[in-house]
Amino acid sequence: MCEDALSQQTALVVPDVEAFPGHIACDSRSKSEIVIPMRNRDNELVGALDVDSKDYGSFDDADAEELEKIVRLVYFPEG
């Protein structure tokens, strides 16, 4: 999923990881996931914030928006 989010350069919300094509489980307890691409000041992709949940449907677009804000604060603390 991280690769998909990075290649699409957008947040990826997956309510059911078992239904996601090609998903490779890093933890068998993971049921849903959200991935936020991380960019530096030069807008280069430098990584991804990847959060898993043991419950299905734990994340939505509002979560993606808020996590994107947090990621921006890490790279752009002045605003």
Side-chain angles (χ1 to χ4, degrees):
M1 275 179 257
C2 287
E3 184 177 331
D4 292 305
L6 293 175
S7 67
Q8 296 170 24
Q9 297 189 24
T10 188
L12 184 60
V13 177
V14 181
D16 180 355
V17 297
E18 294 167 3
F20 191 85
H23 175 253
I24 299 170
C26 58
D27 186 332
S28 62
R29 296 170 295 180
S30 178
K31 300 301 180 202
S32 62
E33 187 169 346
I34 187 168
V35 181
I36 308 295
M38 299 170 67
R39 295 176 182 81
N40 64 17
R41 289 189 181 277
D42 297 322
N43 205 34
E44 300 166 324
L45 289 170
V46 294
L49 173 64
D50 180 358
V51 183
D52 296 352
S53 173
K54 65 178 179 60
D55 300 314
Y56 292 105
S58 290
F59 309 106
D60 60 21
D61 291 338
D63 295 313
E65 289 177 25
E66 295 303 316
L67 287 171
E68 286 174 328
K69 289 178 187 177
I70 292 170
V71 166
R72 280 193 299 275
L73 285 173
V74 170
Y75 282 97
F76 308 102
E78 297 89 36

